[in-house]
Amino acid sequence: MLPTPQSINPLGPRMKKYPSISIITPSFNQGSFIEETILSVLSQDYPDLEYLIMDGGSSDSTLSVLKKYSGKLAWLSETDHGQTDAINKGLRRATGAIVGYLNGDDLLLPGALRKVAEAFIAEPQTWWVTGKCRIVDEENHEIRRAITVYKNTLLHVRSFSSLLMTNYISQPATFWRREALESIGYLDEGLRYVMDYEYWLRLYSKSPPVFIPEYLAAF
């Protein structure tokens, strides 16, 4: 089923107008993790949020979790052609001015979406923003800190030439405008593992990202 998405905590008349944000989660048999992912998005307390989960026909506990949150997110479960196809399905349904995707075992950190919105408000010409991302294990303990430090260092200096050599941009902490999506298109469904990297290269060839020097997500 695909119910109509609902905004969470609608804006009061005196509050700042934040851009609408759509988050897509591709899912397949992530029942052990997906509820925590869902809660990390819904607990953002963001005033104009659309959350869509594109499930590939899971046979584990995923659907029972999705039904539990049907009033707060939109979801669809059907056979697909893999993760990239699922993400693109969500992007085609998304209505937000800002879009991003979060895999079914990753997390947004508290306050992430407001930080993203503030960055887009402050830089109205930018197409995309990215921030820091922690690497965690199944129990959310931070691991591989040396890799995180390495990526953060490259994020601070940011250049297209360095991105051509290594992907220092963390997908769960990256968001882009609808205008960018309309201009450069969707993720390449011929790619299964580096579709995000190839997309960053396409985005960066148009304009560099704005860097948010804070941790936005956990991978």
Side-chain angles (χ1 to χ4, degrees), residues 128-132 155 158 169-170 173-175 209-213 216:
W128 59 311
V129 304
T130 191
K132 297 180 180 180
L155 277 170
R158 286 185 315 290
I169 293 173
S170 296
T174 304
F175 303 81
V210 166
F211 173 50
I212 301 171
L216 303 180

Side-chain angles (χ1 to χ4, degrees), residues 5 19 25 33 36-37 57 80 121 126 148-149 155:
T25 290
F33 303 103
E36 193 169 6
T37 298
D80 57 34
I121 291 169
T126 193
T148 302
V149 170
L155 277 170

Side-chain angles (χ1 to χ4, degrees), residues 20-37:
S20 56
I21 297 180
S22 294
I23 303 294
I24 293 94
T25 290
S27 169
F28 183 66
N29 288 339
Q30 292 286 338
S32 298
F33 303 103
I34 196 164
E35 185 165 25
E36 193 169 6
T37 298

Side-chain angles (χ1 to χ4, degrees), residues 13-138:
R14 298 182 181 179
M15 293 180 67
K16 179 185 292 187
K17 175 63 177 175
Y18 283 100
S20 56
I21 297 180
S22 294
I23 303 294
I24 293 94
T25 290
S27 169
F28 183 66
N29 288 339
Q30 292 286 338
S32 298
F33 303 103
I34 196 164
E35 185 165 25
E36 193 169 6
T37 298
I38 289 171
L39 290 173
S40 80
V41 176
L42 298 183
S43 66
Q44 291 289 308
D45 192 30
Y46 190 77
D48 197 350
L49 171 66
E50 177 185 58
Y51 189 24
L52 305 104
I53 298 183
M54 299 292 109
D55 181 72
S58 293
S59 58
D60 64 354
S61 62
T62 296
L63 296 189
S64 64
V65 175
L66 298 183
K67 290 174 183 176
K68 180 178 176 181
Y69 294 97
S70 287
K72 297 181 179 180
L73 53 82
W75 63 272
L76 176 70
S77 183
E78 63 181 16
T79 302
D80 57 34
H81 299 292
Q83 181 184 18
T84 312
D85 177 38
I87 296 165
N88 281 343
K89 281 183 180 180
L91 289 172
R92 290 187 179 98
R93 287 170 168 80
T95 62
I98 309 300
V99 299
Y101 72 92
L102 186 71
N103 288 328
D105 54 0
D106 295 339
L107 305 169
L108 288 182
L109 298 182
L113 294 185
R114 289 183 183 269
K115 293 171 185 174
V116 167
E118 294 284 359
F120 277 111
I121 291 169
E123 299 285 349
Q125 301 305 313
T126 193
W127 266 16
W128 59 311
V129 304
T130 191
K132 297 180 180 180
C133 182
R134 301 188 191 281
I135 305 172
V136 298
D137 63 16
E138 293 181 358

